[in-house]
Amino acid sequence: MFFIDTSCNGKPVHDAIVNQSLDNYLINDLRLKGHGLICYINQPSVIIGVNQNAYAEIDLPYLKKHKIQLVRRSSGGGAVYHDYGNLVFENIIIGDDGHFGDFHRIGDPIVDALHDLGIKSAEVRGRNDMAINGKKFSGMAIVKADDAYAAGGTIMFDLNMEAANEVLTPEKDKLSSKGVKSVDARVTNIKPYLPEKYQDWTTEDFKNYLLCHMFGVDSMDDVETYHLTEHDWTIIDQRLDSKYRTDEWNYGKNPGFKHYVSKHYPVGTIAFNFNVRDDQITEAKIYGDFFTAGDPHKVEQALVGVKMNATEIERALSKADLDVNLGHADPSELAQLILSAD
């Protein structure tokens, strides 16, 4: 494993839009063969999954009032709040996708580092979380491209929980579509669990400890490191201007279709927003925090023109290759969800 230094001109980058775009460049363009690792700290920002509806997940007036960035990542998962008390880590794997989707492989090194600090209850749990005493301190996500993938997550060290709860609670009466809030009251920071002698650690101190532990060194000076070059940053900046800094990418369009249904399944939350005319689905949009290497738009397209009855909807979904494009979901269960709409 080697470290990828994502500083620019010798200074750390805290712009969340820049940092969230790095994985796409690293796995699709730079492609340093082997196992790389990046780790950074973002300024106050909300990061949403590639398939989420920003208008149904976030209190946008609060976000804008407090000058919090909205950033859409290129992987699945739910909405999370970042600030200077939060770490982000990503494993950049090139040339070996044999462990794609294995969240234990991603989270276990973090958990091991916490165990060695005396936080013995730290664990990887559920689909893609890490927790202490059953309280979540990290959510993980993954994105794939050919034989490469980026897999990582957030680590809440000393996050502003009040801001997180405010911005991740949508004002439902101002939404043109219903939504499911991403805030989970059963979350925690790591810092309160640290032994007393480490209670004065900053997020940077914890970051340094974590990285040194993961690489098995006393100093990051001893780690093989690739430093992003001026050429790398030129390409990254071009991508930012053409895609990642645009409102079209980060906010997306809220179609505001009349019907909205949502349910949590083992693969994650799946939501359908759609219109019906003459007992046929005329438009459809799928949202959720599910992970897929496929294309959910193919499922949306399969639903257009379908009659609102269980047999027809199930048949259309069965032809849309759900396992690839949405995740392992039962067509009959999804058909019943769609038919449950008001």
Side-chain angles (χ1 to χ4, degrees):
M1 186 166 69
F2 58 92
F3 187 62
I4 302 173
D5 174 20
T6 61
S7 61
C8 184
N9 297 321
K11 296 181 179 179
V13 177
H14 298 300
D15 185 331
I17 290 179
V18 176
N19 287 330
Q20 290 299 142
S21 75
L22 293 177
D23 58 5
N24 188 279
Y25 173 71
L26 294 173
I27 65 174
N28 287 296
D29 299 276
L30 186 58
R31 292 183 57 84
L32 299 172
K33 194 170 182 62
H35 185 169
L37 180 71
I38 63 175
C39 190
Y40 54 82
I41 297 170
N42 283 330
Q43 66 193 56
S45 51
V46 170
I47 318 296
I48 60 174
V50 66
N51 297 306
Q52 287 194 292
N53 182 354
Y55 300 87
E57 294 289 341
I58 301 159
D59 183 340
L60 291 175
Y62 181 93
L63 178 131
K64 292 177 179 178
K65 177 182 178 181
H66 293 273
K67 296 179 169 55
I68 298 170
Q69 282 186 302
L70 176 63
V71 187
R72 187 179 298 275
R73 60 178 175 267
S74 51
S75 59
V80 291
Y81 173 75
H82 290 183
D83 62 19
Y84 294 109
N86 184 79
L87 280 179
V88 183
F89 72 99
E90 285 197 82
N91 296 269
I92 309 296
I93 314 295
I94 310 295
D96 179 9
D97 61 359
H99 295 283
F100 178 78
D102 184 352
F103 286 106
H104 271 278
R105 190 175 178 86
I106 304 167
D108 283 348
I110 309 295
V111 167
D112 290 344
L114 294 180
H115 288 172
D116 285 350
L117 282 174
I119 308 175
K120 301 300 184 182
S121 65
E123 62 177 342
V124 177
R125 66 159 196 188
R127 181 173 58 120
N128 61 318
D129 293 343
M130 287 184 275
I132 297 173
N133 288 348
K135 292 186 176 183
K136 175 180 174 179
F137 69 85
S138 174
M140 295 177 283
I142 192 165
V143 61
K144 190 176 186 300
D146 297 325
D147 65 343
Y149 65 94
T154 60
I155 300 176
M156 292 185 289
F157 178 72
D158 193 18
L159 189 80
N160 183 336
M161 293 291 191
E162 182 179 351
N165 278 282
E166 290 290 341
V167 75
L168 295 181
T169 304
E171 294 182 282
K172 290 183 176 60
D173 60 339
K174 294 185 179 180
L175 299 176
S176 58
S177 65
K178 302 168 190 173
V180 179
K181 68 179 182 179
S182 295
V183 169
D184 185 344
R186 295 164 295 179
V187 299
T188 187
N189 281 313
I190 289 173
K191 191 170 184 177
Y193 294 92
L194 291 177
E196 185 176 352
K197 62 180 178 180
Y198 301 129
Q199 281 296 317
D200 62 348
W201 270 6
T202 64
T203 310
E204 282 287 350
D205 292 330
F206 178 70
K207 173 186 171 185
N208 185 66
Y209 162 77
L210 184 63
L211 288 174
C212 287
H213 191 282
M214 293 175 73
F215 282 100
V217 297
D218 294 324
S219 169
M220 287 301 291
D221 293 335
D222 299 327
V223 174
E224 177 188 354
T225 300
Y226 176 87
H227 302 272
L228 290 179
T229 66
E230 185 175 336
H231 174 70
D232 293 328
W233 280 112
T234 298
I235 299 174
I236 292 167
D237 288 341
Q238 290 172 347
R239 298 281 172 80
L240 290 170
D241 291 338
S242 65
K243 180 176 181 180
Y244 295 109
R245 284 202 188 280
T246 66
D247 285 350
E248 182 180 2
W249 169 255
N250 290 307
Y251 284 82
K253 294 180 180 179
N254 181 20
F257 297 150
K258 180 179 180 181
H259 304 287
Y260 190 102
V261 287
S262 175
K263 188 173 181 179
H264 187 76
Y265 299 97
V267 297
T269 298
I270 299 175
F272 294 93
N273 192 194
F274 60 98
N275 278 336
V276 176
R277 186 183 302 117
D278 297 330
D279 203 38
Q280 282 188 330
I281 297 172
T282 56
E283 294 108 345
K285 182 69 178 174
I286 296 174
Y287 298 106
D289 60 4
F290 50 85
F291 298 99
T292 176
D295 185 1
H297 296 304
K298 293 181 179 179
V299 183
E300 296 167 355
Q301 293 166 359
L303 289 170
V304 174
V306 173
K307 289 283 187 182
M308 281 290 286
N309 68 68
T311 301
E312 294 297 320
I313 295 174
E314 185 175 342
R315 181 183 294 120
L317 291 172
S318 297
K319 292 179 179 179
D321 203 353
L322 290 181
D323 282 357
V324 171
N325 293 315
L326 202 60
H328 186 63
D330 186 332
S332 63
E333 291 185 358
L334 296 184
Q336 291 304 314
L337 174 62
I338 291 171
L339 290 171
S340 71
D342 295 335

